[in-house]
């Protein structure tokens, strides 16, 4: 690309891995050749090293980044994507007992702290960091996903009978990615806003309510194609 960014490494979760649901009998299928970054790389010509992992949370991504850097991985741009699994809960114990305290897999301060350490690691190795906001939930579909096979009454009790809490917690983490990026001078791609700007973002999401579908990943690719050439190389 004209901005000098010709190689990109990614530490993300199933969304940048290209996971989809509902296309086969498998729980997940992976769009190896049609995920958003692969499609964008064909258009923009950058080399892609995708270290994204299903179910990734920020501490696992941080450990992977540190290992990869220690093994000599180099690139122009390091993309950190996460939050969707960090802000989520282990719903089985909530289904069993909603009255005891339950925390997300990573509480927000810990999530932001580890994300900051990842950014600092990239910069220490002369790699430009880039963040991505979280695609929006399709709330009713996600609620069905987390309650299927569980005690729905107990989950509703934990949510104080407010299903929207699922969306608000998810949005809180995404908004804090932006807040962190602005206050720490880190560039970011607002994928959440881009998807919400679509005429019908629900049509771009899988039946589980959290993963983009084939059309959604193609749409995300157009966002990368528009935004990645705007990124300023720091080193």
């Amino acid at each position: 690309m004209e901005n000098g960014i010709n190689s990109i490494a990614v530490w993300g979760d199933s969304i940048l891995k290209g996971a989809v649901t509902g296309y086969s009998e498998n729980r997940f299928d992976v769009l190896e050749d049609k995920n958003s970054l692969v499609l964008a790389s064909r258009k923009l010509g950058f080399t892609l090293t995708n270290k994204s992992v299903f179910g990734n949370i920020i501490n696992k991504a941080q450990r992977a980044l540190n290992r990869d850097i220690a093994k000599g991985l180099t690139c122009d741009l390091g993309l950190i994507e996460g939050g969707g699994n960090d802000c989520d809960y282990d719903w089985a114990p909530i289904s069993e007992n909603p009255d005891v305290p339950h925390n997300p897999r990573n509480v927000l301060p810990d999530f932001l702290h580890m994300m900051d350490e990842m950014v600092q690691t990239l910069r220490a190795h002369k790699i430009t960091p880039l963040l991505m906001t979280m695609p929006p939930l399709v709330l009713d579909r996600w609620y069905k996903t987390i309650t299927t096979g569980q005690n729905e009454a107990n989950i509703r009790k934990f949510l104080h009978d407010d299903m929207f809490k699922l969306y608000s917690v998810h949005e809180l983490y995404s908004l804090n990615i932006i807040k962190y990026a602005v206050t720490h001078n880190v560039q970011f791609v607002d994928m959440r806003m881009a998807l919400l700007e679509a005429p019908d973002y629900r049509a771009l999401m899988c039946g589980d309510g959290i993963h983009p579908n084939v059309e959604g990943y193609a749409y995300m690719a157009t966002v990368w194609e528009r935004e990645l050439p705007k990124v300023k190389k720091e080193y």
Side-chain angles (χ1 to χ4, degrees):
M1 290 183 282
E2 291 184 2
N3 56 1
I5 295 174
N6 299 308
S7 57
I8 298 176
V10 185
W11 292 271
D13 57 27
S14 55
I15 288 176
L16 288 191
K17 188 74 173 175
V20 292
T21 60
Y23 286 82
S24 73
E25 294 181 356
N26 298 323
R27 183 183 178 191
F28 292 106
D29 292 301
V30 182
L31 303 178
E32 296 285 359
D33 298 323
K34 293 184 179 180
N35 69 58
S36 65
L37 286 168
V38 166
L39 295 174
S41 70
R42 292 172 184 161
K43 184 71 172 288
L44 298 176
F46 59 83
T47 300
L48 177 64
T49 303
N50 196 337
K51 297 289 185 173
S52 300
V53 176
F54 276 53
N56 223 8
I57 52 178
I58 196 73
N59 38 311
K60 291 182 179 180
Q62 183 182 25
R63 289 196 294 269
L65 183 149
N66 290 338
R67 286 196 305 268
D68 294 332
I69 294 294
K71 291 178 181 178
L73 185 149
T74 61
C75 55
D76 298 315
L77 185 73
L79 173 56
I80 301 168
E81 177 264 325
N85 295 309
D86 298 272
C87 74
D88 194 20
Y89 292 82
D90 186 348
W91 294 104
I94 293 173
S95 173
E96 294 174 3
N97 188 354
D99 297 316
V100 301
H102 298 276
N103 288 322
R105 290 189 172 91
N106 276 306
V107 296
L108 183 59
D110 291 347
F111 170 72
L112 294 171
H113 177 71
M114 287 181 276
M115 186 173 68
D116 176 58
E117 290 184 334
M118 293 176 73
V119 167
Q120 292 183 38
T121 297
L122 290 172
R123 283 178 163 164
H125 290 83
K126 308 299 182 185
I127 298 171
T128 299
L130 181 70
L131 303 176
M132 186 192 103
T133 58
M134 298 150 58
L137 295 175
V138 178
L139 183 55
D140 54 328
R141 297 178 195 170
W142 178 238
Y143 177 76
K144 182 178 179 181
T145 296
I146 67 168
T147 56
T148 298
Q150 307 286 1
N151 186 322
E152 183 178 356
N154 279 348
I155 290 177
R156 290 192 70 90
K157 185 177 182 181
F158 173 74
L159 296 172
H160 302 287
D161 210 29
D162 179 13
M163 186 171 68
F164 188 75
K165 182 180 178 182
L166 296 168
Y167 191 96
S168 61
V169 170
H170 191 267
E171 186 164 68
L172 178 65
Y173 276 63
S174 192
L175 288 172
N176 269 275
I177 293 172
I178 296 175
K179 181 180 179 181
Y180 169 84
V182 171
T183 55
H184 291 76
N185 196 30
V186 181
Q187 299 171 89
F188 68 96
V189 171
D190 197 347
M191 194 63 72
R192 190 182 195 87
M193 180 177 288
L195 283 162
L196 289 172
E197 288 174 338
D200 180 9
Y201 89 88
R202 293 170 61 93
L204 300 175
M205 302 295 289
C206 286
D208 66 358
I210 198 167
H211 291 94
N213 57 25
V214 172
E215 294 78 14
Y217 286 121
Y219 181 90
M220 286 174 62
T222 67
V223 178
W224 292 124
E225 291 162 13
R226 181 182 72 230
E227 298 298 328
L228 286 174
K230 300 177 185 177
V231 175
K232 296 179 180 178
K233 188 178 180 183
E234 294 183 6
Y235 304 98

